[in-house]
Amino acid sequence: MNPSSLHESAPPLGAGVQQPAPLVIVGAGLAAWTTVREVRKLDATRPIVVISSDGADFYAKPTLSNALAQKRSADQLVTTPAGKMAETLQVQLHAHSHVRRVDVAAKSLRYEDANAQSHTLGYGDLVLATGADPVRLPLAGSAASRVQSINHLQDLSSFHAALGAAPKTVLVIGAGLIGCEFANDLLIGGHDVHVVDPAPRPLALLLPAAAGEQLQVALQAQGATWHLGTTVQSLDADTPAGRMQATLADGTRVQVDAVLSAVGLRASSALASAAAIACERGILVDGYLRTSAPHVYALGDCAQYASAGSRVLPYVMPIMNAAKALAATLAGQPTELVFPLMPVAVKTPALPIVVAAPHPDQTGAWRQDSGVDPAEGGLWRFMDTADQQRGFVLTGKQSGRRMELAKTTLT
């Protein structure tokens, strides 16, 4: 769809009628659209404006890391086109537009539309749902600029185009959750996969050691080559055919066709910071998702939640809970955000994993359940100093016990 036609098709605000300043939402990912949906359940008439730097189509971002297994292109991951979202939820949508400045004193923002025209827009309440950006590690070498990251549909489309139709050798930088998911997906797609990480095993920050080792063995059985305890130092153009040579810190050299960086995300807080809104690892929000500026809220990957012990939570369930609480507050029913236990399913078909991680400040230790048949996977409980269960990890067939373990875990 043409960006300008999408902009023009949005329902007008205040056509001949004086209306209150709108609720303005910056961003059009899961956090933004879920907030709109929850607000509309409580208020069918409030003017809402959504400003998005991309096309604003609705899709589930977790599907980016298993698109090959689903045999779906980037376009096929879209569940609802942006125009339909705007029409159904009665919002004025400015797609392919960029917010350049927020003036919290004047309760207004300055944005540039799809035609590079600048506009000022006042708001009654402002919600920042700006997401997060991939962390990129500095690399030496003539081909360093060819490293790709996947955080949006266009990123996935570009990466798939780089892979082409024939099997390729792909280097994945990072053996965290996203790196392992993409590695498994690439293996399913028939590619030769190398994974590099400075940690001694995959998912080292999330799983007990034995569970991480299970995943390492499972992905290796599918064809993954691990380079653990080392890092990528340089990436150089290697042959006229376009291959690259990656040189690792341990001296290993690997010829590859594509390199995917998956070393984590950093909250997109520059817009808030420039407006003197308090930020640390993300935009600081209190229990009601209020930032340090009046009438400005934040949620999603850009937010650092007081309700989670001042953590960023880049997962789906926190977004769903935050959007529901925020919508009630915006509708005049102040609602404090209380996160329930939120287990995370890791999309690694080679070894299904469910993690309910304890709070980082929680003291205790992982304890493996010795009564589980190794052929069925594994079960680990995180026990605090009072012998109370504060988290769990399930692997393999044990992952089906998610609800059972959730009932016995204290938050």
Side-chain angles (χ1 to χ4, degrees), residues 13 23 34-49 86 88-92 327:
L13 289 176
L23 165 63
T34 304
T35 299
V36 174
R37 281 175 168 161
E38 293 295 335
V39 169
R40 279 291 177 247
K41 292 177 184 178
L42 303 172
D43 188 337
T45 62
R46 183 176 189 180
I48 301 176
V49 177
T88 301
L89 295 170
Q90 288 298 291
V91 305
Q92 182 171 320

PDB file of all heavy atoms in Angstrom, residues 13 23 34-49 86 88-92 327:
ATOM      1  N   LEU A  13      -9.874  13.648  12.403  1.00  0.00           N
ATOM      2  CA  LEU A  13     -10.172  14.070  13.764  1.00  0.00           C
ATOM      3  C   LEU A  13     -10.718  15.486  13.735  1.00  0.00           C
ATOM      4  O   LEU A  13     -10.164  16.368  13.093  1.00  0.00           O
ATOM      5  CB  LEU A  13      -8.906  14.040  14.628  1.00  0.00           C
ATOM      6  CG  LEU A  13      -8.354  12.667  14.996  1.00  0.00           C
ATOM      7  CD1 LEU A  13      -7.050  12.857  15.758  1.00  0.00           C
ATOM      8  CD2 LEU A  13      -9.336  11.886  15.832  1.00  0.00           C
ATOM      9  N   LEU A  23      -5.382  11.247  22.337  1.00  0.00           N
ATOM     10  CA  LEU A  23      -4.384  10.317  22.854  1.00  0.00           C
ATOM     11  C   LEU A  23      -3.452  10.014  21.682  1.00  0.00           C
ATOM     12  O   LEU A  23      -3.906   9.551  20.632  1.00  0.00           O
ATOM     13  CB  LEU A  23      -5.058   9.033  23.334  1.00  0.00           C
ATOM     14  CG  LEU A  23      -4.143   7.821  23.578  1.00  0.00           C
ATOM     15  CD1 LEU A  23      -3.141   8.104  24.683  1.00  0.00           C
ATOM     16  CD2 LEU A  23      -4.983   6.581  23.901  1.00  0.00           C
ATOM     17  N   THR A  34      -1.898  -3.059  20.883  1.00  0.00           N
ATOM     18  CA  THR A  34      -2.626  -3.688  21.985  1.00  0.00           C
ATOM     19  C   THR A  34      -3.194  -2.622  22.920  1.00  0.00           C
ATOM     20  O   THR A  34      -4.322  -2.747  23.418  1.00  0.00           O
ATOM     21  CB  THR A  34      -1.723  -4.658  22.765  1.00  0.00           C
ATOM     22  OG1 THR A  34      -1.181  -5.619  21.869  1.00  0.00           O
ATOM     23  CG2 THR A  34      -2.509  -5.378  23.856  1.00  0.00           C
ATOM     24  N   THR A  35      -2.439  -1.563  23.133  1.00  0.00           N
ATOM     25  CA  THR A  35      -2.960  -0.460  23.942  1.00  0.00           C
ATOM     26  C   THR A  35      -4.192   0.159  23.290  1.00  0.00           C
ATOM     27  O   THR A  35      -5.199   0.428  23.970  1.00  0.00           O
ATOM     28  CB  THR A  35      -1.872   0.615  24.144  1.00  0.00           C
ATOM     29  OG1 THR A  35      -0.762   0.033  24.829  1.00  0.00           O
ATOM     30  CG2 THR A  35      -2.406   1.787  24.951  1.00  0.00           C
ATOM     31  N   VAL A  36      -4.141   0.380  21.982  1.00  0.00           N
ATOM     32  CA  VAL A  36      -5.307   0.931  21.278  1.00  0.00           C
ATOM     33  C   VAL A  36      -6.516   0.022  21.443  1.00  0.00           C
ATOM     34  O   VAL A  36      -7.628   0.475  21.749  1.00  0.00           O
ATOM     35  CB  VAL A  36      -4.997   1.145  19.782  1.00  0.00           C
ATOM     36  CG1 VAL A  36      -6.261   1.568  19.042  1.00  0.00           C
ATOM     37  CG2 VAL A  36      -3.907   2.193  19.599  1.00  0.00           C
ATOM     38  N   ARG A  37      -6.307  -1.262  21.248  1.00  0.00           N
ATOM     39  CA  ARG A  37      -7.423  -2.209  21.372  1.00  0.00           C
ATOM     40  C   ARG A  37      -8.031  -2.168  22.775  1.00  0.00           C
ATOM     41  O   ARG A  37      -9.254  -2.179  22.943  1.00  0.00           O
ATOM     42  CB  ARG A  37      -6.941  -3.628  21.061  1.00  0.00           C
ATOM     43  CG  ARG A  37      -6.802  -3.925  19.584  1.00  0.00           C
ATOM     44  CD  ARG A  37      -6.201  -5.297  19.369  1.00  0.00           C
ATOM     45  NE  ARG A  37      -6.322  -5.732  17.980  1.00  0.00           N
ATOM     46  CZ  ARG A  37      -5.599  -6.686  17.440  1.00  0.00           C
ATOM     47  NH1 ARG A  37      -4.675  -7.309  18.175  1.00  0.00           N
ATOM     48  NH2 ARG A  37      -5.774  -7.037  16.180  1.00  0.00           N
ATOM     49  N   GLU A  38      -7.167  -2.128  23.789  1.00  0.00           N
ATOM     50  CA  GLU A  38      -7.664  -2.125  25.168  1.00  0.00           C
ATOM     51  C   GLU A  38      -8.373  -0.809  25.485  1.00  0.00           C
ATOM     52  O   GLU A  38      -9.386  -0.802  26.193  1.00  0.00           O
ATOM     53  CB  GLU A  38      -6.508  -2.364  26.142  1.00  0.00           C
ATOM     54  CG  GLU A  38      -5.891  -3.764  26.054  1.00  0.00           C
ATOM     55  CD  GLU A  38      -6.864  -4.861  26.469  1.00  0.00           C
ATOM     56  OE1 GLU A  38      -7.801  -4.580  27.252  1.00  0.00           O
ATOM     57  OE2 GLU A  38      -6.682  -6.005  26.006  1.00  0.00           O
ATOM     58  N   VAL A  39      -7.880   0.308  24.968  1.00  0.00           N
ATOM     59  CA  VAL A  39      -8.555   1.587  25.173  1.00  0.00           C
ATOM     60  C   VAL A  39      -9.927   1.572  24.525  1.00  0.00           C
ATOM     61  O   VAL A  39     -10.923   2.035  25.107  1.00  0.00           O
ATOM     62  CB  VAL A  39      -7.703   2.752  24.623  1.00  0.00           C
ATOM     63  CG1 VAL A  39      -8.519   4.051  24.593  1.00  0.00           C
ATOM     64  CG2 VAL A  39      -6.452   2.951  25.468  1.00  0.00           C
ATOM     65  N   ARG A  40      -9.995   1.031  23.316  1.00  0.00           N
ATOM     66  CA  ARG A  40     -11.272   1.016  22.591  1.00  0.00           C
ATOM     67  C   ARG A  40     -12.325   0.150  23.299  1.00  0.00           C
ATOM     68  O   ARG A  40     -13.529   0.379  23.151  1.00  0.00           O
ATOM     69  CB  ARG A  40     -11.060   0.544  21.154  1.00  0.00           C
ATOM     70  CG  ARG A  40     -10.548   1.643  20.244  1.00  0.00           C
ATOM     71  CD  ARG A  40     -11.638   2.689  20.019  1.00  0.00           C
ATOM     72  NE  ARG A  40     -11.181   3.818  19.193  1.00  0.00           N
ATOM     73  CZ  ARG A  40     -11.045   5.063  19.636  1.00  0.00           C
ATOM     74  NH1 ARG A  40     -11.295   5.346  20.909  1.00  0.00           N
ATOM     75  NH2 ARG A  40     -10.657   6.017  18.828  1.00  0.00           N
ATOM     76  N   LYS A  41     -11.905  -0.835  24.068  1.00  0.00           N
ATOM     77  CA  LYS A  41     -12.864  -1.621  24.846  1.00  0.00           C
ATOM     78  C   LYS A  41     -13.539  -0.770  25.916  1.00  0.00           C
ATOM     79  O   LYS A  41     -14.671  -1.057  26.333  1.00  0.00           O
ATOM     80  CB  LYS A  41     -12.154  -2.805  25.519  1.00  0.00           C
ATOM     81  CG  LYS A  41     -11.654  -3.875  24.567  1.00  0.00           C
ATOM     82  CD  LYS A  41     -10.891  -4.957  25.343  1.00  0.00           C
ATOM     83  CE  LYS A  41     -10.297  -6.004  24.407  1.00  0.00           C
ATOM     84  NZ  LYS A  41      -9.517  -7.027  25.155  1.00  0.00           N
ATOM     85  N   LEU A  42     -12.848   0.276  26.352  1.00  0.00           N
ATOM     86  CA  LEU A  42     -13.342   1.122  27.446  1.00  0.00           C
ATOM     87  C   LEU A  42     -13.866   2.467  26.972  1.00  0.00           C
ATOM     88  O   LEU A  42     -14.647   3.110  27.675  1.00  0.00           O
ATOM     89  CB  LEU A  42     -12.209   1.356  28.462  1.00  0.00           C
ATOM     90  CG  LEU A  42     -11.583   0.092  29.069  1.00  0.00           C
ATOM     91  CD1 LEU A  42     -10.363   0.465  29.905  1.00  0.00           C
ATOM     92  CD2 LEU A  42     -12.605  -0.663  29.911  1.00  0.00           C
ATOM     93  N   ASP A  43     -13.421   2.908  25.803  1.00  0.00           N
ATOM     94  CA  ASP A  43     -13.793   4.233  25.299  1.00  0.00           C
ATOM     95  C   ASP A  43     -13.838   4.173  23.778  1.00  0.00           C
ATOM     96  O   ASP A  43     -12.802   4.106  23.121  1.00  0.00           O
ATOM     97  CB  ASP A  43     -12.781   5.277  25.772  1.00  0.00           C
ATOM     98  CG  ASP A  43     -13.198   6.707  25.447  1.00  0.00           C
ATOM     99  OD1 ASP A  43     -14.001   6.894  24.519  1.00  0.00           O
ATOM    100  OD2 ASP A  43     -12.701   7.627  26.120  1.00  0.00           O
ATOM    101  N   ALA A  44     -15.037   4.201  23.229  1.00  0.00           N
ATOM    102  CA  ALA A  44     -15.195   4.039  21.781  1.00  0.00           C
ATOM    103  C   ALA A  44     -15.048   5.341  21.010  1.00  0.00           C
ATOM    104  O   ALA A  44     -14.988   5.325  19.780  1.00  0.00           O
ATOM    105  CB  ALA A  44     -16.574   3.435  21.479  1.00  0.00           C
ATOM    106  N   THR A  45     -14.978   6.473  21.703  1.00  0.00           N
ATOM    107  CA  THR A  45     -15.028   7.758  20.997  1.00  0.00           C
ATOM    108  C   THR A  45     -13.785   8.623  21.148  1.00  0.00           C
ATOM    109  O   THR A  45     -13.622   9.594  20.413  1.00  0.00           O
ATOM    110  CB  THR A  45     -16.237   8.568  21.482  1.00  0.00           C
ATOM    111  OG1 THR A  45     -16.104   8.845  22.888  1.00  0.00           O
ATOM    112  CG2 THR A  45     -17.536   7.797  21.234  1.00  0.00           C
ATOM    113  N   ARG A  46     -12.917   8.325  22.077  1.00  0.00           N
ATOM    114  CA  ARG A  46     -11.767   9.198  22.292  1.00  0.00           C
ATOM    115  C   ARG A  46     -10.905   9.288  21.036  1.00  0.00           C
ATOM    116  O   ARG A  46     -10.560   8.257  20.431  1.00  0.00           O
ATOM    117  CB  ARG A  46     -10.918   8.685  23.453  1.00  0.00           C
ATOM    118  CG  ARG A  46      -9.740   9.598  23.768  1.00  0.00           C
ATOM    119  CD  ARG A  46      -8.949   9.154  24.975  1.00  0.00           C
ATOM    120  NE  ARG A  46      -7.970  10.167  25.354  1.00  0.00           N
ATOM    121  CZ  ARG A  46      -7.134  10.060  26.375  1.00  0.00           C
ATOM    122  NH1 ARG A  46      -7.159   8.980  27.145  1.00  0.00           N
ATOM    123  NH2 ARG A  46      -6.286  11.031  26.646  1.00  0.00           N
ATOM    124  N   PRO A  47     -10.521  10.476  20.610  1.00  0.00           N
ATOM    125  CA  PRO A  47      -9.634  10.586  19.451  1.00  0.00           C
ATOM    126  C   PRO A  47      -8.270   9.962  19.762  1.00  0.00           C
ATOM    127  O   PRO A  47      -7.675  10.236  20.805  1.00  0.00           O
ATOM    128  CB  PRO A  47      -9.507  12.096  19.243  1.00  0.00           C
ATOM    129  CG  PRO A  47     -10.652  12.700  19.970  1.00  0.00           C
ATOM    130  CD  PRO A  47     -10.930  11.791  21.125  1.00  0.00           C
ATOM    131  N   ILE A  48      -7.804   9.123  18.842  1.00  0.00           N
ATOM    132  CA  ILE A  48      -6.513   8.467  19.002  1.00  0.00           C
ATOM    133  C   ILE A  48      -5.708   8.658  17.724  1.00  0.00           C
ATOM    134  O   ILE A  48      -6.217   8.436  16.617  1.00  0.00           O
ATOM    135  CB  ILE A  48      -6.665   6.966  19.298  1.00  0.00           C
ATOM    136  CG1 ILE A  48      -7.475   6.730  20.578  1.00  0.00           C
ATOM    137  CG2 ILE A  48      -5.290   6.301  19.414  1.00  0.00           C
ATOM    138  CD1 ILE A  48      -7.738   5.265  20.881  1.00  0.00           C
ATOM    139  N   VAL A  49      -4.464   9.049  17.889  1.00  0.00           N
ATOM    140  CA  VAL A  49      -3.540   9.182  16.763  1.00  0.00           C
ATOM    141  C   VAL A  49      -2.373   8.229  16.993  1.00  0.00           C
ATOM    142  O   VAL A  49      -1.799   8.187  18.089  1.00  0.00           O
ATOM    143  CB  VAL A  49      -2.999  10.621  16.638  1.00  0.00           C
ATOM    144  CG1 VAL A  49      -1.981  10.712  15.498  1.00  0.00           C
ATOM    145  CG2 VAL A  49      -4.143  11.609  16.409  1.00  0.00           C
ATOM    146  N   ALA A  86      -6.403   0.686  11.375  1.00  0.00           N
ATOM    147  CA  ALA A  86      -6.845   2.064  11.596  1.00  0.00           C
ATOM    148  C   ALA A  86      -8.354   2.185  11.464  1.00  0.00           C
ATOM    149  O   ALA A  86      -9.012   2.863  12.260  1.00  0.00           O
ATOM    150  CB  ALA A  86      -6.147   2.994  10.613  1.00  0.00           C
ATOM    151  N   THR A  88     -10.707  -0.283  11.733  1.00  0.00           N
ATOM    152  CA  THR A  88     -11.426  -1.050  12.754  1.00  0.00           C
ATOM    153  C   THR A  88     -11.385  -0.365  14.113  1.00  0.00           C
ATOM    154  O   THR A  88     -12.396  -0.332  14.831  1.00  0.00           O
ATOM    155  CB  THR A  88     -10.818  -2.461  12.868  1.00  0.00           C
ATOM    156  OG1 THR A  88     -10.904  -3.111  11.596  1.00  0.00           O
ATOM    157  CG2 THR A  88     -11.558  -3.288  13.914  1.00  0.00           C
ATOM    158  N   LEU A  89     -10.231   0.174  14.466  1.00  0.00           N
ATOM    159  CA  LEU A  89     -10.061   0.768  15.783  1.00  0.00           C
ATOM    160  C   LEU A  89     -10.300   2.272  15.800  1.00  0.00           C
ATOM    161  O   LEU A  89     -10.181   2.906  16.854  1.00  0.00           O
ATOM    162  CB  LEU A  89      -8.648   0.465  16.298  1.00  0.00           C
ATOM    163  CG  LEU A  89      -8.376  -1.025  16.538  1.00  0.00           C
ATOM    164  CD1 LEU A  89      -6.896  -1.263  16.809  1.00  0.00           C
ATOM    165  CD2 LEU A  89      -9.211  -1.550  17.698  1.00  0.00           C
ATOM    166  N   GLN A  90     -10.665   2.824  14.648  1.00  0.00           N
ATOM    167  CA  GLN A  90     -10.997   4.243  14.536  1.00  0.00           C
ATOM    168  C   GLN A  90      -9.875   5.131  15.088  1.00  0.00           C
ATOM    169  O   GLN A  90     -10.055   5.902  16.030  1.00  0.00           O
ATOM    170  CB  GLN A  90     -12.325   4.540  15.240  1.00  0.00           C
ATOM    171  CG  GLN A  90     -13.551   3.994  14.513  1.00  0.00           C
ATOM    172  CD  GLN A  90     -13.715   4.614  13.125  1.00  0.00           C
ATOM    173  OE1 GLN A  90     -14.024   5.784  13.001  1.00  0.00           O
ATOM    174  NE2 GLN A  90     -13.498   3.817  12.084  1.00  0.00           N
ATOM    175  N   VAL A  91      -8.727   5.006  14.467  1.00  0.00           N
ATOM    176  CA  VAL A  91      -7.609   5.865  14.821  1.00  0.00           C
ATOM    177  C   VAL A  91      -7.133   6.611  13.581  1.00  0.00           C
ATOM    178  O   VAL A  91      -7.340   6.164  12.447  1.00  0.00           O
ATOM    179  CB  VAL A  91      -6.428   5.059  15.413  1.00  0.00           C
ATOM    180  CG1 VAL A  91      -6.868   4.230  16.597  1.00  0.00           C
ATOM    181  CG2 VAL A  91      -5.753   4.199  14.360  1.00  0.00           C
ATOM    182  N   GLN A  92      -6.518   7.737  13.804  1.00  0.00           N
ATOM    183  CA  GLN A  92      -5.839   8.445  12.721  1.00  0.00           C
ATOM    184  C   GLN A  92      -4.403   7.945  12.708  1.00  0.00           C
ATOM    185  O   GLN A  92      -3.671   8.094  13.684  1.00  0.00           O
ATOM    186  CB  GLN A  92      -5.880   9.946  12.933  1.00  0.00           C
ATOM    187  CG  GLN A  92      -5.211  10.716  11.794  1.00  0.00           C
ATOM    188  CD  GLN A  92      -5.440  12.205  11.907  1.00  0.00           C
ATOM    189  OE1 GLN A  92      -6.529  12.638  12.262  1.00  0.00           O
ATOM    190  NE2 GLN A  92      -4.425  12.991  11.618  1.00  0.00           N
ATOM    191  N   ALA A 327      -4.520   1.047  29.607  1.00  0.00           N
ATOM    192  CA  ALA A 327      -5.795   1.444  29.003  1.00  0.00           C
ATOM    193  C   ALA A 327      -6.798   1.850  30.075  1.00  0.00           C
ATOM    194  O   ALA A 327      -7.520   2.850  29.927  1.00  0.00           O
ATOM    195  CB  ALA A 327      -6.356   0.305  28.157  1.00  0.00           C
TER     196      ALA A 327
END
